[in-house]
Amino acid sequence: PSTSDYALEHIEAYQDRMPALFVARQQTKGRGRGARSWFAGDGALTFSALLSQANTPIEPHAWPRSSLIAGVAMCQTLEQYADTELLKVKWPNDVYLAGRKVCGILVEKRELANPVMCLGVGVNVNNSLENAPPDVQQKAIALTDITHQRHFLPEILLEFLLRYQKLSEANASSLESLLAYWREHCLLTGRQIETMQGTQQLTGECHGIDVNGSLLVQTSAGQRQIVSGEIIRW
Ligand code: BTN
């Protein structure tokens, strides 16, 4: 049903075997952020990784950054197949292709002996959305809809994992390149956006992200940082 549900249900069994990766050929009950569901037909790439603090150099307080890293790693991966001009990241970690969502990422945390992160990634690859209902087509796209090719899913998965690991290296130059990449590929910088953080709604101009990965919004009352939340309109 869902790679993230499976991973989280079996988290204790994998406690001493992390990182652990769960991949599905098809998902029937995929979950998205908030209360959304994530539809993934045959040909989509869906996986979840259980990472304990021992496997990641990033401290738990900076885990919001690993969610950004995942978005950037997938955006860079898809650049191997599609024109970079068409690929954008949307805070916190969605990847857009030709103005439509191609990848969604769900990060969940659990406290075991060590904090554990479940990184769930869904990418529309060979599951063309050209015949999907018009409301889905307006918002979502698959890689094949642009390339008109069938892609080898394990290759995309491996590319992503290598890039994720590289970008997670905790040093100043990896952080700098992450931020530079984000700034270059940010879908919404300079645009008017509406955000929700808990029950708080904010409207203003998107000014990209800060070093911790918080979204910067210039409101009429000054600049605000959104640590976690959603962009609801843009
Ligand atoms: C979103 O954009 O709202 C996040 C979507 C995350 C979907 C992935 S698919 C693999 C993993 N398993 C799930 O049930 N959800 C995530």
Side-chain angles (χ1 to χ4, degrees), residues 67-77 89 95 167 178 181-182:
S67 123
L68 290 186
I69 288 177
V72 166
M74 188 50 80
C75 195
Q76 291 181 343
T77 297
V89 282
V95 182
L167 288 166
L178 176 76
Y181 186 90
W182 182 275

Side-chain angles (χ1 to χ4, degrees), residues 24-225:
R25 287 198 50 189
Q26 219 175 331
Q27 254 188 178
T28 51
K29 281 198 190 141
R31 291 186 291 110
R33 293 196 303 276
R36 292 195 300 261
S37 55
W38 178 264
F39 175 78
D42 194 19
L45 174 61
T46 49
F47 60 92
S48 299
L50 286 178
L51 303 164
S52 80
Q53 208 208 321
N55 316 128
T56 165
I58 302 172
E59 296 290 318
H61 74 266
W63 278 5
R65 204 190 313 145
S66 18
S67 123
L68 290 186
I69 288 177
V72 166
M74 188 50 80
C75 195
Q76 291 181 343
T77 297
L78 297 179
E79 274 187 85
Q80 310 304 306
Y81 308 95
D83 187 349
T84 178
E85 299 288 309
L86 298 178
L87 283 158
K88 300 279 175 216
V89 282
K90 175 174 163 272
W91 189 87
N93 50 25
D94 292 338
V95 182
Y96 273 64
L97 176 62
R100 285 174 279 171
K101 185 158 162 172
V102 68
C103 167
I105 296 171
L106 175 68
V107 178
E108 295 167 289
K109 287 174 208 162
R110 293 290 183 274
E111 291 294 329
L112 302 185
N114 275 316
V116 175
M117 169 166 58
C118 178
L119 181 68
V121 182
V123 198
N124 297 319
V125 181
N126 296 319
N127 53 322
S128 170
L129 297 172
E130 277 175 351
N131 296 318
D135 59 318
V136 176
Q137 262 188 63
Q138 249 177 32
K139 293 188 211 148
I141 195 166
L143 183 60
T144 191
D145 295 332
I146 292 287
T147 63
H148 305 292
Q149 284 174 21
R150 267 192 85 75
H151 299 275
F152 185 49
L153 301 180
E155 183 181 293
I156 297 180
L157 174 60
L158 185 60
E159 277 267 351
F160 167 82
L161 294 172
L162 293 171
R163 286 171 193 278
Y164 181 83
Q165 187 175 18
K166 180 104 191 87
L167 288 166
S168 297
E169 281 166 10
N171 60 50
S173 89
S174 66
L175 179 57
E176 208 31 67
S177 68
L178 176 76
L179 293 174
Y181 186 90
W182 182 275
R183 288 184 188 122
E184 245 170 68
H185 291 79
C186 178
L187 180 70
L188 299 176
T189 296
R191 283 167 66 170
Q192 277 298 115
I193 58 171
E194 212 174 296
T195 63
M196 256 339 235
Q197 182 167 226
T199 54
Q200 208 198 350
Q201 194 168 334
L202 269 183
T203 306
E205 188 178 303
C206 174
H207 278 192
I209 55 168
D210 69 10
V211 284
N212 298 313
S214 301
L215 183 72
L216 300 173
V217 184
Q218 188 65 39
T219 72
S220 49
Q223 190 167 78
R224 297 281 179 273
Q225 282 170 308

